[in-house]
Amino acid sequence: GINAEFFFFFFFFYLFYWLLVPAQMTRRPFSLVLVVENDRVLLGMKKRGFGVGKWNGFGGKVEIGETHLEGAIRELQEEASIVALDATKCGLITFSFEGEADLQEVHVYRVNRFEGEPAESEEMAPRWFNISDIPFDTMWADDKFWFPLLLSGQFFTGQFAFRGHSEILSHTLDVVSKEQLDSLPCAPPVTPARPRE
């Protein structure tokens, strides 16, 4: 098992990293959901907005008044028309983009059971891929680093610094325990809830 000294070192390292981000930088929490069923994973082709033209999981900004998990479940339903029956948080990744003040704090969830049939939305066109045929060439450049960890049931944290939307300037990625992942500080939502019918 992971000993107590490593746990405390990791926890305080991450806490200091979180606290030492310059005050002018805002940490904005996002959800990202990967639906895995047997030997296949559901991805969506982004049709508009940030990340357009890339295959990705389903997710978006966590809104004020909801938890990170609630945001993940809502986004999955809005973007793919399916309802998660389980959702396990398996990762926490911080993204920075050169020239941008905001940091994206992405809470990664894995869903194994759901209700409904995936359907295209205004934002995403869902499609199943065999896990041996994931289209990394048309996905975010960081995905190939942490996807194998998610698919193998591991928990992880990481930081990725991007130039533009395709070049990774630097990154770190660590496998952690579920207890370590759950103990890490999380940014509160800053996005107002959108009106819905």
Side-chain angles (χ1 to χ4, degrees):
I2 299 175
N3 62 42
E5 289 182 358
F6 177 81
F7 172 79
F8 286 113
F9 171 80
F10 174 84
F11 177 79
F12 286 111
F13 173 82
Y14 193 90
L15 181 63
F16 283 128
Y17 170 85
W18 196 85
L19 291 175
L20 289 174
V21 170
Q24 69 270 22
M25 301 186 80
T26 301
R27 297 179 69 90
R28 297 187 180 275
F30 289 74
S31 65
L32 180 63
V33 182
L34 280 301
V35 180
V36 181
E37 186 180 65
N38 299 319
D39 60 351
R40 62 181 188 167
V41 60
L42 186 68
L43 299 175
M45 170 56 69
K46 190 72 182 295
K47 297 165 57 178
R48 66 181 187 186
F50 188 76
V52 64
K54 296 180 185 292
W55 291 104
N56 201 2
F58 304 89
K61 297 174 182 175
V62 180
E63 297 179 354
I64 294 172
E66 66 184 0
T67 66
H68 300 87
L69 174 60
E70 290 168 344
I73 293 172
R74 171 184 56 76
E75 289 281 358
L76 180 62
Q77 185 169 11
E78 290 177 356
E79 294 184 348
S81 299
I82 58 177
V83 178
L85 299 179
D86 65 355
T88 301
K89 184 175 177 178
C90 54
L92 180 62
I93 307 175
T94 302
F95 294 94
S96 62
F97 293 86
E98 190 176 60
E100 297 184 18
D102 290 347
L103 297 175
Q104 294 185 10
E105 181 185 276
V106 179
H107 299 253
V108 185
Y109 293 86
R110 173 173 169 157
V111 167
N112 293 103
R113 297 188 302 116
F114 61 91
E115 287 183 341
E117 289 294 328
E120 186 169 346
S121 63
E122 292 182 358
E123 192 164 349
M124 300 285 271
R127 175 180 161 188
W128 289 105
F129 289 89
N130 190 285
I131 59 174
S132 64
D133 195 30
I134 295 174
F136 288 118
D137 289 345
T138 49
M139 297 170 66
W140 283 96
D142 60 279
D143 291 345
K144 64 178 177 287
F145 292 96
W146 57 265
F147 251 61
L149 301 179
L150 178 141
L151 293 174
S152 63
Q154 298 184 79
F155 303 95
F156 53 90
T157 64
Q159 292 92 35
F160 287 84
F162 272 82
R163 172 179 291 148
H165 289 176
S166 58
E167 181 183 356
I168 296 175
L169 298 177
S170 64
H171 81 278
T172 63
L173 186 63
D174 297 293
V175 174
V176 299
S177 68
K178 186 178 187 305
E179 291 74 21
Q180 287 174 313
L181 181 63
D182 291 341
S183 70
L184 295 177
C186 299
V190 295
T191 303
R194 292 169 290 164
R196 296 179 175 84
E197 296 180 358

